[in-house]
Amino acid sequence: MTETRSLEPEEWEFWDTWMRAQRLLTRELERGLQRDCDISKAEFSLLVTLWQAGGREMRVGELSESLDWDKSRVSHQLTRMERRGFVKRTQYGADGRRAGVGLTAEGRRAARSAILVHGDNVRRHFLDPLTPEQTSVIRAWSKQTVARLEPHHNEAAADDAS
Amino acid sequence: MTETRSLEPEEWEFWDTWMRAQRLLTRELERGLQRDCDISKAEFSLLVTLWQAGGREMRVGELSESLDWDKSRVSHQLTRMERRGFVKRTQYGADGRRAGVGLTAEGRRAARSAILVHGDNVRRHFLDPLTPEQTSVIRAWSKQTVARLEPHHNEAAADDAS
DNA sequence: CCAGCAGAGTTGTCACTTCAACTCCTGCCG
DNA sequence: CGGCAGGAGTTGAAGTGACAACTCTGCTGG
């Protein structure tokens, strides 16, 4: 352990600028989603995940896993979106079992349109301004960061007897 | 109509990975702050901004400008932090005027320690894993993004007599 | 003079997020 | 059989963030 000194001003400024950039970008995109599609980023994520499942219903745990959201967060979000008529919870087994989650017709419509609109916004605000070099560097950094921090990354290549 | 098409799968995955990376990183850092210093990211930002002002009191509008936060957000956050004893609001003029905001002794202590701890975490989770190439590319991207999206960008380099 | 407009700050409301406590069911094990 | 550990999902409380309505004061123009 070397000395536990604070960041150099230059490092601090780098960090601050990075945080600012990413906050501005996500805020811009969230506003676009709200303005053009009248849905929030959280709603969008859930709609897309269910959309990608095709017609198949998903369980709360699956959604939680796939989005890397806390289960209670999924549950709260589902409650709000059920109120808005985007999703429905159905019973899983005959005798009062776990709930499955699916899109309503309204939810499918919202998902389809939001994917197009949001895709455009992502392109305009994120992809297009990137140079090819920036694209490849940032892509690599993103992958490496996810690999480093993603909690369930237990794909051990070795034999796994447990 | 090919012009307004959705993102290609590869583009979508890039975007998704990037969002995930940045969310994982900020979440990790926020947890560190909470665990080691018992303060939130929002509290940290406000503490640091006031800390950097030296002993000088700041106005709400200044904080709002400097952090690029909504004024109401600053006000709400100040209310919570006043409750925790980190900041105090003082009167500005004699006859019930605008409030100035300053750190309490408790707030200064929290700021000092959080800056050290958080600096370490930023270094460990963000700065250290970057290659020199990634550092320079991401720094450039951040600056360019902030310049593009920052609302008030009227910093004329010339001296400002007003 | 005073009506009203503009700026600073606050408050309210609603949605989002996290954490912990809770319910309900299932499977296990004595 | 009976109970209990544990997983799935929900609920509640508190903090966070965005937006709009509101208060208060000073300024300004008719």
Side-chain angles (χ1 to χ4, degrees):
Chain A
M1 276 336 210
T2 62
E3 70 282 15
T4 315
R5 76 192 188 292
S6 180
L7 298 181
E8 303 296 337
E10 185 191 311
E11 293 174 311
W12 163 257
E13 203 218 312
F14 175 25
W15 167 248
D16 183 65
T17 308
W18 188 80
M19 285 295 280
R20 228 169 252 266
Q22 53 116 1
R23 193 157 51 82
L24 285 165
L25 181 53
T26 53
R27 183 206 281 172
E28 191 61 32
L29 287 166
E30 170 134 32
R31 280 191 183 146
L33 221 38
Q34 195 68 251
R35 176 169 23 77
D36 301 334
C37 308
D38 193 34
I39 63 174
S40 68
K41 176 158 104 17
E43 287 170 326
F44 179 75
S45 301
L46 212 35
L47 286 176
V48 167
T49 306
L50 286 167
W51 177 261
Q52 284 172 340
R56 193 175 67 81
E57 299 210 329
M58 293 181 73
R59 306 265 303 275
V60 171
E62 260 183 298
L63 287 165
S64 165
E65 168 83 7
S66 161
L67 289 160
D68 191 25
W69 286 7
D70 192 288
K71 262 195 303 234
S72 83
R73 180 176 170 189
V74 174
S75 186
H76 283 304
Q77 194 62 44
L78 285 174
T79 302
R80 286 187 294 263
M81 290 175 71
E82 206 170 17
R83 216 159 49 219
R84 283 196 66 178
F86 285 149
V87 302
K88 58 184 179 313
R89 295 191 231 228
T90 60
Q91 289 313 71
Y92 214 60
D95 54 338
R97 212 39 156 288
R98 305 286 172 245
V101 181
L103 290 175
T104 60
E106 171 82 12
R108 273 188 293 277
R109 197 172 334 115
R112 183 165 31 238
S113 114
I115 285 170
L116 288 177
V117 170
H118 192 58
D120 261 17
N121 288 340
V122 168
R123 197 190 292 288
R124 190 168 61 248
H125 289 299
F126 180 64
L127 298 174
D128 281 353
L130 288 173
T131 65
E133 188 201 13
Q134 288 174 332
T135 302
S136 84
V137 167
I138 291 178
R139 192 198 304 269
W141 173 80
S142 302
K143 280 187 188 156
Q144 126 198 350
T145 300
V146 170
R148 194 163 51 81
L149 293 177
E150 190 88 45
H152 40 68
H153 227 348
N154 37 11
E155 321 294 342
D159 43 335
D160 179 0
S162 68
Chain B
M1 294 309 166
T2 55
E3 63 270 27
T4 318
R5 76 192 188 291
S6 179
L7 298 182
E8 305 296 337
E10 186 191 312
E11 293 174 313
W12 163 257
E13 202 218 311
F14 176 25
W15 167 249
D16 182 65
T17 307
W18 188 80
M19 286 293 282
R20 227 169 252 267
Q22 46 117 12
R23 194 157 50 82
L24 285 165
L25 181 54
T26 54
R27 182 206 282 171
E28 191 61 32
L29 287 166
E30 170 133 32
R31 283 196 180 142
L33 221 37
Q34 195 68 251
R35 176 170 23 79
D36 302 335
C37 309
D38 193 35
I39 63 173
S40 68
K41 175 158 103 19
E43 288 169 327
F44 180 75
S45 301
L46 213 35
L47 286 176
V48 168
T49 306
L50 287 168
W51 177 261
Q52 285 172 339
R56 194 177 66 82
E57 298 211 330
M58 293 181 75
R59 306 264 304 273
V60 171
E62 261 183 298
L63 287 165
S64 165
E65 168 82 9
S66 162
L67 290 159
D68 191 25
W69 284 7
D70 193 288
K71 262 194 303 232
S72 81
R73 181 176 169 189
V74 173
S75 187
H76 283 304
Q77 193 62 44
L78 285 174
T79 301
R80 287 186 294 262
M81 290 175 71
E82 207 170 17
R83 218 160 44 222
R84 282 196 67 178
F86 285 149
V87 301
K88 58 183 179 312
R89 295 192 231 231
T90 61
Q91 290 312 71
Y92 215 60
D95 54 339
R97 211 36 157 286
R98 305 287 172 249
V101 180
L103 291 175
T104 61
E106 170 83 12
R108 272 188 294 277
R109 197 171 335 117
R112 182 166 31 237
S113 112
I115 285 170
L116 288 177
V117 170
H118 192 58
D120 260 16
N121 288 339
V122 167
R123 195 189 294 287
R124 189 168 62 246
H125 290 299
F126 180 64
L127 298 174
D128 281 352
L130 288 173
T131 65
E133 188 200 15
Q134 288 174 333
T135 300
S136 85
V137 167
I138 291 178
R139 193 198 302 269
W141 173 82
S142 301
K143 279 187 187 157
Q144 125 198 352
T145 300
V146 170
R148 194 163 50 81
L149 293 176
E150 190 89 45
H152 40 68
H153 226 353
N154 36 11
E155 319 295 343
D159 35 349
D160 177 358
S162 69

